Amino acid sequence: MDSALPENSRAMNEKNLELVQQCLKQFDVREEQLRQIQAAVLRDMERALSGQTNPSPTVRMLPTYVRSTPHGTEQGNFLVLELGTSGATLRVLWVTLTGISGPRKEPISWEFTIPMEITLGTGQQLFDFAAGCLVEFLERLKVGSQPIQLGFNFSFPCHQTGLDQSTLISWTKGFRCSGVEGQDVVQLLREAIQRQGAYNIDVVAVVNDTVGTMMSCDPRPQACEIGLVVDTGTNACYMEEARHVGELGEDQGRVCVNVQWGSFGDSGALESVQTPFDLQLDQESLNPGTQRFEKMVGGLYLGELVRLVLIHLAGQRALLGGITSPALLTRGSVHVEHVMEIEDPSHGRARAQAVLQGLGLNPSARDCEQVQQVCGAVSARAAHLCAAALSAILARVKSNQERSHLGIAVATGGRVYEQHPRFSAILQQTVRLLAPDSDTTFVPSEDGRGWGVAIVTAVASRLALHRHHLEETLAPFRLDSEQLKSVQAQMREAMVRGLRGEDSSLPMLPTFVCATPDGTERGDFLALDLGGTNFRVLWVKVGSRSEGGVKITNQVFSIPESVTQGTGQQLFDHIVDCIVDFQKEHGLSGQTLPLGFTFSFPCKQVGLDQGILLNWTKGFKASDCEGQDVVSLLRAAIRRRQGVELNVVAIVNDTVGTMMSCGYEDPHCEVGLIVGTGTNACYMEELCNVSAVPGDKGRMCINMEWGAFGDDSLLQELCTPFDLSVDKASINPGKQRFEKLISGMYLGEIVRHILLHLTRLGVLFRGQVFQCLQTKDIFKTKFLSEIESSDLQRRQVRAILEKLGLPVSCDDALMVREVCQAVSQRAAKLCGAGVAAVVEKIRENRGLEELSVAVGVDGTLYKLHPHFSDQVKDTVRHLAPRCSVRFLQSEDGSGKGAALVTAVACRLAGSTRA
Ligand code: BG6
Ligand code: GLC
Ligand code: GLC
């Protein structure tokens, strides 16, 4: 044809051709540049994962809470709402998942066009529109009133904090509804659905389109671990090792990360490949300066780039005879669909003519050919850039898997990828060039995304069911104010009855300790401390404060279980052996120091040095002791061990020892509290209220033995089936019911029983009942303290559980932590209710409007648990508002207190060895 043209016109044509070629050259990206982009994307990904901010990485790497690719077992009907993938359309789908064996059922789907005034209107308008579409769809489908689970495919950059919590970071791709950025889009959708009021729809998961794409692929033969979308916008996601995602604080398993690569280059990394057309397009867009990569790749922008190039070439008179049209000059008049048609290998030329004519232009055949070239250059560049970014992900996955050769499947979706005649071929070829070590298969997602979103929804609804079970299980542990007030009132009543010698679960035992130390006590004492975590022998030197006050030397001895549960004789012989060893070790042999015996079990005392053991508690079971005077048993053992002389002066409960020990520092300390292996309290009661002891002047310390509170079935309403199991399996069923709700010896067991129950419901550990969960006492109360530490990351919780032999997932770890919290909170609140009853009684005894009092506290649970003490204090403040209560932690154990009781007794008897 050209040969028929006159010479000057041919020259013109050649010049024009050259102008076009020159212009399009700007869209060439050299291999070396692609490799640089690949490396820059990878660097940005790694920096974003580890949370580096200086300078800020431009890809976002958002964790999605999707932790595994589909199992293929997911089943059920799901409603899917898709917003933000394909321009201003909204899709609603009804997806039926049929599990592994069932035939795949085609989803039913409907598309709605979102009017422009809505994409640029208010958030409420947008979500109301979406909810309206859902209703219209369901009405057509005649779904009825069944509960419906909805998966929300919302394809904008969001910060997710759970499968159903997602805050929009910023709009992209032509949307700009007000009042949505910074909001949880799931909540907005829920509210809009509620405003419609027509259907019972629960929004259970929110998913980015890339994730939906990845999840929609058949896991057989090879699971897709990367999702790629090139539609209106572009983006990818992939499965990352959770330990690399700084924000999650986990060290095992994997999580799908939404790369949000559309914003790559927002700080300049794409400058060398950007053309003036890119800059102009960006300037005229709704979000200038952002989404720079997306604006070179995404379908929303390809047509616009072509339009800008055409205007430029026409301006140079290189095209269209230098003539434009009002339509060509109008932003958005060339669509990606036009570009795809024009590039069609067989009908492209004709389509180009039609498209240009549709724009009011009158193209020549040569124009059409050159417009085809323009489209080809713009879309080839998009495919090249997209391949570079995808190759960065492949490199990342490869380094995670530490393999030299990687076989990996990429799920692909989006109109540009699927429908453009050359895009996918160029992309795949470029990936092979840039990532030659990866054997990459590209798998088209079946029904773009909808399917995958339904799968995520199925998983989310399973998790929601688990949460429901968890809440239901833990609800009885969450005591409200009324319940606590009732415990306080019942405790108060039981105290009064116990003091009067009437029927009561509280024995309210007199201790014959009537005075706290006055500071004049002096001398050396021995002390024994039996009944807590450790058995200890102590040498306590009480001097004047100027001499340094009380000095303690102590040694811990073990008591084997065969001894605590053997005969009384064995137990007391063992104790004396330990004392003798201690004396030898510390050069005390041959001296007869006064001895105070902290014996932390319920004893009926008739004097300071006489205590009849009422019953063992806390796992002790030595025979022939109950009903016997413990001091006599000790003295008999001393006699059996010839050549030893000991002077047992006082027997002291640990609560009393603790009160005395703190009382030495602070004379306002008139309550002793133990929350350790067991729990108990003592306090100074008016002697006139104590019917078991004659006399009505002064005060006496009363050992409440509150561990037994509720043994008359008062606490039945509070007891859960787990408490009943713990009680039943204990060595004293039916006894120490209050203690079994509170103290260290039992909390771990309660937790273990709950975990067992939740496992049987399939909520925990994938329903697998591990042997260790069935082992009594395996779950120590110290684990609760460790697991509940607020600064502990999930990975540490997992480490603790794994040490026990429980292979836990992250969700398991979180749930176990919630179980621990529920159990320890209940314990702390009950303990607080008890303390409130005690201090209120003291206040009323003294006829005071306001009481200021200190409580001496000891016990491993109270001391080691990160929140227990605060919860006790809060409860006391709430239930006894007229008492100002200070809690003093005993630092030296109640052994020191026992020595002080002995010292006081010796002082009063005038027999202290100075
Ligand atoms: C200690 C006392 O400090 O606290 C013991 O000396 C007491 O006598 C104990 O029994 C309670 O705590 P635990 O946690 O050891 O039972
Ligand atoms: C935009 C969105 C992103 C989405 C992508 C493809 O980049 O921000 O979330 O995945 O478009 O639709
Ligand atoms: C048990 C004992 C009690 C002791 C408490 C704390 O309840 O019966 O005497 O004070 O444990 O150790």
Side-chain angles (χ1 to χ4, degrees):
M1 192 165 67
D2 281 3
S3 60
L5 289 170
E7 196 57 33
N8 62 344
S9 151
R10 193 172 311 135
M12 269 271 281
N13 274 345
E14 257 154 38
K15 189 180 150 237
N16 288 347
L17 195 66
E18 207 182 299
L19 282 174
V20 172
Q21 293 312 323
Q22 251 174 24
C23 172
L24 296 188
K25 243 192 155 55
Q26 300 174 82
F27 287 87
D28 283 348
V29 188
R30 296 190 311 277
E31 182 183 328
E32 180 200 327
Q33 288 176 309
L34 288 177
R35 289 195 191 281
Q36 281 163 2
I37 291 170
Q38 174 190 9
V41 172
L42 183 59
R43 250 193 330 270
D44 249 19
M45 284 170 59
E46 287 168 351
R47 295 185 47 253
L49 280 175
S50 57
Q52 292 177 41
T53 50
N54 195 15
S56 282
T58 55
V59 300
R60 294 193 191 260
M61 307 301 276
L62 303 166
T64 64
Y65 294 83
V66 168
R67 296 183 192 279
S68 59
T69 45
H71 297 168
T73 51
E74 294 77 9
Q75 289 191 17
N77 290 318
F78 299 93
L79 183 64
V80 172
L81 170 66
E82 199 176 286
L83 180 66
T85 300
S86 295
T89 53
L90 176 155
R91 277 210 314 162
V92 185
L93 299 90
W94 184 257
V95 185
T96 305
L97 301 179
T98 49
I100 281 181
S101 46
R104 208 160 172 154
K105 255 179 110 171
E106 274 311 301
I108 304 167
S109 82
W110 251 25
E111 239 173 59
F112 299 81
T113 303
I114 312 173
M116 170 99 117
E117 63 271 21
I118 287 186
T119 57
L120 300 178
T122 68
Q124 177 153 347
Q125 284 170 326
L126 175 70
F127 285 95
D128 280 343
F129 177 79
C133 296
L134 290 174
V135 169
E136 207 179 316
F137 177 82
L138 291 171
E139 243 138 54
R140 264 289 186 92
L141 219 65
K142 301 204 168 35
V143 166
S145 61
Q146 55 175 293
I148 300 166
Q149 290 168 324
L150 180 141
F152 185 18
N153 183 351
F154 184 74
S155 299
F156 297 94
C158 285
H159 191 262
Q160 274 188 255
T161 43
L163 267 178
D164 66 345
Q165 280 162 3
S166 190
T167 306
L168 175 65
I169 298 171
S170 53
W171 285 115
T172 53
K173 303 183 290 193
F175 277 78
R176 208 173 53 187
C177 305
S178 59
V180 186
E181 290 178 351
Q183 301 294 314
D184 178 3
V185 292
V186 173
Q187 199 46 37
L188 295 177
L189 179 61
R190 283 187 182 138
E191 284 164 11
I193 290 173
Q194 238 160 36
R195 281 194 292 275
Q196 291 283 337
Y199 285 90
N200 177 3
I201 303 171
D202 189 13
V203 186
V204 284
V206 60
V207 179
N208 183 268
D209 53 359
T210 55
V211 183
T213 300
M214 182 184 83
M215 296 292 282
S216 71
C217 285
D218 194 326
R220 293 154 297 176
Q222 185 185 13
C224 285
E225 308 212 328
I226 299 179
L228 167 71
V229 170
V230 191
D231 201 299
T232 308
T234 181
N235 190 13
C237 70
Y238 73 104
M239 294 305 290
E240 176 59 86
E241 301 298 313
R243 66 176 188 279
H244 295 149
V245 186
E247 155 177 5
L248 289 179
E250 293 168 9
D251 66 352
Q252 269 182 24
R254 298 187 314 154
V255 65
C256 175
V257 170
N258 169 7
V259 177
Q260 282 294 144
W261 71 22
S263 47
F264 173 70
D266 284 2
S267 57
L270 288 168
E271 260 161 27
S272 68
V273 291
Q274 266 156 352
T275 66
F277 308 107
D278 296 303
L279 302 182
Q280 187 184 348
L281 176 143
D282 177 56
Q283 279 312 310
E284 291 171 0
S285 70
L286 279 180
N287 49 355
T290 65
Q291 300 291 105
R292 303 304 290 264
F293 182 74
E294 180 159 272
K295 286 173 184 164
M296 300 170 88
V297 179
L300 182 60
Y301 307 100
L302 297 186
E304 187 61 8
L305 282 173
V306 166
R307 187 183 73 87
L308 295 177
V309 174
L310 297 188
I311 294 172
H312 169 80
L313 291 174
Q316 288 193 314
R317 310 183 69 84
L319 205 66
L320 299 165
I323 296 169
T324 59
S325 66
L328 182 66
L329 293 177
T330 306
R331 197 145 53 89
S333 58
V334 180
H335 301 158
V336 69
E337 284 75 14
H338 297 143
V339 176
M340 299 197 288
E341 287 172 19
I342 292 172
E343 286 189 69
D344 184 287
S346 30
H347 307 106
R349 195 70 59 83
R351 294 306 306 151
Q353 185 164 20
V355 168
L356 293 169
Q357 280 171 349
L359 289 169
L361 299 161
N362 186 16
S364 67
R366 179 175 284 273
D367 285 333
C368 293
E369 189 185 331
Q370 290 182 349
V371 169
Q372 277 192 301
Q373 288 179 11
V374 172
C375 292
V378 168
S379 34
R381 183 187 67 166
H384 287 135
L385 292 175
C386 194
L390 181 62
S391 302
I393 296 184
L394 290 167
R396 173 78 201 164
V397 173
K398 191 177 130 195
S399 83
N400 279 345
Q401 298 191 349
E402 291 163 358
R403 275 199 237 138
S404 61
H405 196 80
L406 181 73
I408 188 155
V410 180
T412 58
R415 278 173 307 156
V416 175
Y417 188 92
E418 287 162 359
Q419 293 165 23
H420 188 284
R422 297 184 315 134
F423 188 95
S424 61
I426 300 174
L427 180 134
Q428 293 185 14
Q429 198 182 3
T430 315
V431 165
R432 274 191 281 278
L433 178 76
L434 298 178
D437 298 345
S438 304
D439 172 11
T440 315
T441 331
F442 292 84
V443 187
S445 80
E446 296 183 37
D447 182 71
R449 313 165 291 267
W451 197 266
V453 177
I455 287 172
V456 178
T457 310
V459 172
S461 67
R462 189 179 67 220
L463 293 178
L465 180 70
H466 288 179
R467 173 128 298 273
H468 172 77
H469 283 316
L470 181 72
E471 288 302 327
E472 206 172 52
T473 305
L474 297 183
F477 287 86
R478 310 203 196 277
L479 303 182
D480 62 24
S481 180
E482 287 315 303
Q483 287 170 300
L484 292 172
K485 280 184 187 152
S486 148
V487 171
Q488 177 186 11
Q490 288 174 19
M491 172 81 85
R492 171 64 188 268
E493 209 182 301
M495 287 168 78
V496 173
R497 295 178 66 84
L499 286 171
R500 287 196 195 127
E502 294 168 8
D503 232 13
S504 167
S505 59
L506 289 182
M508 304 300 282
L509 302 167
T511 65
F512 295 88
V513 169
C514 301
T516 46
D518 68 2
T520 62
E521 299 77 10
R522 297 285 179 275
D524 283 21
F525 305 90
L526 274 183
L528 301 180
D529 189 351
L530 177 74
T533 313
N534 296 311
F535 167 55
R536 297 188 299 161
V537 183
L538 307 90
W539 171 20
V540 185
K541 291 164 91 66
V542 183
S544 68
R545 287 191 197 271
S546 61
E547 291 161 359
V550 178
K551 287 191 193 134
I552 298 176
T553 310
N554 79 71
Q555 195 174 340
V556 172
F557 293 89
S558 67
I559 307 188
E561 197 177 81
S562 58
V563 174
T564 59
Q565 301 192 6
T567 67
Q569 190 161 334
Q570 280 171 328
L571 174 63
F572 283 91
D573 284 348
H574 180 79
I575 292 173
V576 173
D577 288 346
C578 296
I579 302 174
V580 171
D581 285 353
F582 180 85
Q583 285 182 316
K584 276 193 200 138
E585 177 100 356
H586 298 283
L588 296 172
S589 304
Q591 300 186 36
T592 315
L593 301 182
L595 183 145
F597 186 7
T598 301
F599 183 72
S600 313
F601 299 95
C603 286
K604 185 174 163 61
Q605 289 188 249
V606 282
L608 203 52
D609 65 346
Q610 237 182 336
I612 292 161
L613 175 62
L614 295 175
N615 51 272
W616 285 118
T617 53
K618 301 182 287 192
F620 274 69
K621 208 173 67 179
S623 59
D624 310 321
C625 299
E626 291 180 353
Q628 302 291 314
D629 171 20
V630 178
V631 177
S632 306
L633 294 177
L634 181 62
R635 285 184 181 141
I638 295 169
R639 278 195 300 277
R640 282 196 292 278
R641 173 96 196 214
Q642 281 156 12
V644 180
E645 295 240 357
L646 293 169
N647 171 21
V648 187
V649 175
I651 178 168
V652 180
N653 186 265
D654 53 356
T655 52
V656 183
T658 300
M659 182 186 82
M660 292 296 271
S661 150
C662 294
Y664 186 73
E665 313 296 334
D666 181 339
H668 288 291
C669 182
E670 294 183 275
V671 182
L673 170 68
I674 298 283
V675 196
T677 314
T679 182
N680 190 13
C682 71
Y683 71 102
M684 297 304 289
E685 178 57 270
E686 308 302 314
L687 202 52
C688 58
N689 291 338
V690 187
S691 61
V693 180
D696 55 9
K697 289 227 167 58
R699 294 176 185 147
M700 181 178 279
C701 177
I702 298 295
N703 168 12
M704 292 175 66
E705 282 298 329
W706 83 9
F709 176 55
D711 288 3
D712 51 4
S713 66
L714 256 185
L715 288 175
Q716 221 145 28
E717 271 172 34
L718 294 185
C719 285
T720 65
F722 313 106
D723 299 307
L724 298 181
S725 306
V726 171
D727 178 49
K728 220 165 121 193
S730 68
I731 70 175
N732 51 354
K735 299 271 184 297
Q736 301 292 104
R737 301 304 296 270
F738 194 56
E739 180 158 272
K740 285 174 184 161
L741 302 177
I742 297 177
S743 78
M745 181 147 188
Y746 306 100
L747 295 196
E749 267 300 276
I750 302 175
V751 167
R752 185 181 69 85
H753 279 282
I754 299 175
L755 299 186
L756 207 52
H757 167 77
L758 291 172
T759 308
R760 291 192 175 124
L761 284 177
V763 173
L764 282 176
F765 314 131
R766 282 176 229 87
Q768 234 181 308
V769 179
F770 294 100
Q771 181 57 41
C772 63
L773 260 190
Q774 289 175 299
T775 313
K776 184 165 180 269
D777 292 331
I778 189 145
F779 205 93
K780 302 279 179 252
T781 299
K782 75 166 192 229
F783 295 143
L784 270 79
S785 298
E786 287 173 16
I787 287 173
E788 288 184 58
S789 285
S790 34
D791 54 351
L792 202 67
Q793 300 221 315
R794 252 186 262 188
R795 67 176 69 132
Q796 291 161 293
V797 176
R798 291 178 64 163
I800 295 167
L801 297 171
E802 271 159 10
K803 252 194 269 156
L804 285 178
L806 291 170
V808 289
S809 70
C810 297
D811 291 324
D812 288 338
L814 284 184
M815 287 197 265
V816 170
R817 191 179 190 155
E818 279 185 59
V819 171
C820 293
Q821 282 164 342
V823 170
S824 65
Q825 265 177 31
R826 181 185 66 163
K829 285 183 174 174
L830 287 172
C831 180
V835 174
V838 172
V839 293
E840 268 296 294
K841 173 118 183 29
I842 299 179
R843 186 184 67 78
E844 284 176 31
N845 280 346
R846 301 181 189 177
L848 295 172
E849 271 302 307
E850 309 275 332
L851 172 76
S852 169
V853 69
V855 178
V857 200
D858 208 341
T860 34
L861 179 57
Y862 188 91
K863 282 178 164 174
L864 297 187
H865 191 282
H867 312 297
F868 196 94
S869 59
D870 286 337
Q871 284 155 357
V872 172
K873 288 174 198 166
D874 283 350
T875 311
V876 174
R877 222 173 289 131
H878 177 66
L879 296 180
R882 292 160 79 180
C883 300
S884 142
V885 184
R886 277 169 307 124
F887 289 81
L888 312 173
Q889 273 194 30
S890 153
E891 297 306 331
D892 307 296
S894 37
K896 171 179 163 188
L900 288 169
V901 172
T902 310
V904 173
C906 293
R907 170 167 58 82
L908 296 178
S911 66
T912 317
R913 249 177 49 118

